[in-house]
């Protein structure tokens, strides 16, 4: 986490997002909440219900993402659970779940993404120091967001995944690009579930 980094370590960490940037054709990965998959596939649009079900639109995607090219070693639900640190408070995920779904899609406009710099909940000085280090390293200031959140949020722009850690971004809500796909990961590996054709999710033959 940022509070345990020296100034030198903070500067080196900040350079990741000065080097690793998004282009419109960069493929991204978002882990889907278990309850969302069927809602996408049945083309649901719903205002949700306070306290029980969030709003939903099958045409939109948002939230934490990583680059597909950084996920080459992720083959099972346990891998994704570690890499994206899906053990946050209240998480619906667990490392031994039989299947985990992701959505893979091209980034589109890079200005729809921000990097969550900052620190876990606690003293604010390390968060501001991390943001300053990112700006000093040349990270696009329009992509920098200072955030305070409970661990396992690191505030470094990287997940707390240990050897599977990834650069992370937060995507603002937007229309899903044509060619996106939903992929299921099981302990035996991945298989595609559905393809987005800009207006509908088309289920794919599991064979």
């Amino acid at each position: 986490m940022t509070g345990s980094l020296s100034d030198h370590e903070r500067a080196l960490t900040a350079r990741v997002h000065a080097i690793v940037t998004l282009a419109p054709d960069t493929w991204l990965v978002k882990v889907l909440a278990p309850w969302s998959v069927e809602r996408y596939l049945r083309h649901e649009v719903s205002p949700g219900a306070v306290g029980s079900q969030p709003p939903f639109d099958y045409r939109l995607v948002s939230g934490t993402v990583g680059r597909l090219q950084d996920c080459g070693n992720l083959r099972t639900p346990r891998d994704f659970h570690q890499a994206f640190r899906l053990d946050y408070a209240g998480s619906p995920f667990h490392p031994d779940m039989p299947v985990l779904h992701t959505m893979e899609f091209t980034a589109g406009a890079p200005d729809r993404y921000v990097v969550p710099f900052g620190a876990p909940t606690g003293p604010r000085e390390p968060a501001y120091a991390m943001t300053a280090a990112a700006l000093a390293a040349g990270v696009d200031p329009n992509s920098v967001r200072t955030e305070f959140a409970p661990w396992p949020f690191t505030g470094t722009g990287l997940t707390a995944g240990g050897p599977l850690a990834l650069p992370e971004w937060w995507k603002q809500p937007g229309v899903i690009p044509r060619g996106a796909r939903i992929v299921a990961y099981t302990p035996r590996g991945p298989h595609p579930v559905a393809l987005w054709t800009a207006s509908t999710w088309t289920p794919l033959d599991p064979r």
Side-chain angles (χ1 to χ4, degrees), residues 38-45 58 196 199-202:
E38 289 302 321
R39 299 178 81 181
Y40 274 117
L41 296 181
R42 66 174 176 253
H43 301 102
E44 180 178 332
V45 178
Y58 74 95
W196 178 248
S199 62
T200 187
W201 284 104
T202 302

Side-chain angles (χ1 to χ4, degrees), residues 5-24:
L5 299 178
S6 67
D7 289 343
H8 179 64
E9 291 169 333
R10 196 174 285 119
L12 290 177
T13 303
R15 290 180 60 191
V16 171
H17 276 282
I19 298 169
V20 178
T21 58
L22 301 181

